[in-house]
Structure formats: C-alpha cells, structure tokens
Amino acid sequence: MPKGYIIAHITVTDPEGYPEYVRRDTPILQRLGAEILIRGGRSDTVEGATGERHVMFAFPSFEAAVAAFRDPDYQEVAKIRHACAESHIVAVEGTDEDLPDADGPLGFLMAHVTVTDAERYKPYVDGNTPIMRGHGARYIVRGGRSELLEGTLGERHVVIAYPSYDAASAAYRDPAYQALVPTRQAHSDGTLILVEGA
C-alpha cells in the first residue's frame, strides 16, 4: 500500500511561540504513525513562492495522514501554530517507490503545480523522468490523491527523493532538465523547492 504524506510550508510569525508547537506536535504525530522526513532543514525555493520552513511526515497510508491531521489532540496543538505561523498544508498519496539509500540526510525536490494545458505539459513529464533518475531520483509522490488541509497550493503534487541535498540540487540544475523548464512553465503555474531531509 502506498504511504501517505503531510507536506507543510510554513512562515513563522512568532519565533518565540512556535517552538512550543514543535515540542508538542511531534509526540502526537509520531503516536499516530508519523515518520519525520523533512523538518526545517536547508532549503531553496527555486521557482515560485512558498513558506520559509518546510516539513514532511510519512504515514502508513493516505487515510492515516488525513486522520492524523484531523486528530483532536493534534488539532488542539495546531491552535499554537495558527497563532504563531502562516501555513500551507496538503495530505498526499505516495507511490510504491522507496526512499533512496543514503549515508546522510536525503535531499528532496518538492513541486506543487497547476497544469493549464495537459497535452502541452506532457512532453515535460516524459522528458524529465530519465534526467531525474540519472541523479538517483525516487518519485515518492507523483500526482496521486491529495487533500488541501490549510492554505493554498497547486493542484498536482510531486516529491522526488534523492540520496542527498546536493544530488537534488544537481538534478534541478542539470542543463538537460533546465532545457525542459520553459515547457513546464508555459503550461503550468507552481512552486518548486529543494529541501534537505531530517
């Protein structure tokens, strides 16, 4: 069964109050099956705009991810986040791909896009996969079910895991990939973020 993920992009507005949210939400989400994949590491928003802090939790299923977010204990603690930050949060269904093997923190390319012309967007999808795979990519989220939980994000969500942040950055900056970017940008709107894993 594919995993489910909660992805959050957060801009902290009260840096003194926010750590209390992190301290209290972590044990609740872990009790509900969460594995922390990304939590505030190094990042670079390479296209578009989003929050300053990026978080991703893995759950046993899409249903488990949505249920964890809606859990009354979590919702009580989320009141602290609401008072201390602006958040954009989505639950997404994963693929059957596993995370890559790594000696240190993984790297991720996260994308939230709204496709405006699916037929003209298709060459981008077909062309980018072999380039990304050449850098060790694993597509752990690729357009499956999703549910917007807070804020606004694109309609299609993709998360690509790499053996390191440097590998994710190299994949995005690969000249062959950059040659495809104008096709994606002409036929979709969105945000792409490079993020270091936990």
Side-chain angles (χ1 to χ4, degrees), residues 98-119:
D98 293 324
L99 293 170
D101 293 328
D103 294 329
L106 296 174
F108 297 87
L109 176 60
M110 307 172 86
H112 305 288
V113 299
T114 298
V115 176
T116 55
D117 186 332
E119 195 59 37

Side-chain angles (χ1 to χ4, degrees), residues 182-197:
T183 299
R184 177 175 43 75
Q185 291 176 335
H187 306 297
S188 71
D189 298 312
T191 298
L192 276 74
I193 312 131
L194 297 168
V195 188
E196 184 174 49

Side-chain angles (χ1 to χ4, degrees), residues 35-178:
E35 174 189 357
I36 301 169
L37 297 182
I38 299 170
R39 191 149 212 185
R42 178 171 47 152
S43 68
D44 182 7
T45 302
V46 292
E47 295 183 37
T50 188
E52 299 167 354
R53 179 179 170 83
H54 311 286
V55 178
M56 187 166 77
F57 296 101
F59 290 86
S61 68
F62 174 73
E63 291 79 9
V66 173
F69 182 83
R70 292 186 177 148
D71 182 86
D73 291 340
Y74 174 75
Q75 283 299 311
E76 185 62 30
V77 172
K79 292 175 184 176
I80 299 169
R81 178 173 47 74
H82 295 152
C84 298
E86 298 172 2
S87 306
H88 301 275
I89 303 173
V90 64
V92 294
E93 182 176 45
T95 66
D96 289 327
E97 290 198 50
D98 293 324
L99 293 170
D101 293 328
D103 294 329
L106 296 174
F108 297 87
L109 176 60
M110 307 172 86
H112 305 288
V113 299
T114 298
V115 176
T116 55
D117 186 332
E119 195 59 37
R120 291 184 175 165
Y121 185 81
K122 190 174 182 325
Y124 164 77
V125 174
D126 295 341
N128 85 65
T129 302
I131 299 165
M132 297 292 120
R133 295 247 190 244
H135 291 274
R138 303 283 179 88
Y139 287 80
I140 62 170
V141 173
R142 196 168 198 182
R145 289 184 293 168
S146 67
E147 183 174 329
L148 184 63
L149 302 170
E150 288 185 22
T152 58
L153 289 168
E155 296 173 358
R156 178 179 168 82
H157 311 283
V158 177
V159 179
I160 309 170
Y162 294 88
S164 68
Y165 180 84
D166 290 341
S169 181
Y172 175 78
R173 289 173 172 77
D174 185 309
Y177 176 72
Q178 286 298 311

Side-chain angles (χ1 to χ4, degrees), residues 19-35:
E20 179 66 12
Y21 164 72
V22 174
R23 185 185 72 74
R24 291 182 54 194
D25 87 317
T26 301
I28 293 168
L29 293 174
Q30 288 177 325
R31 175 178 54 78
L32 297 169
E35 174 189 357

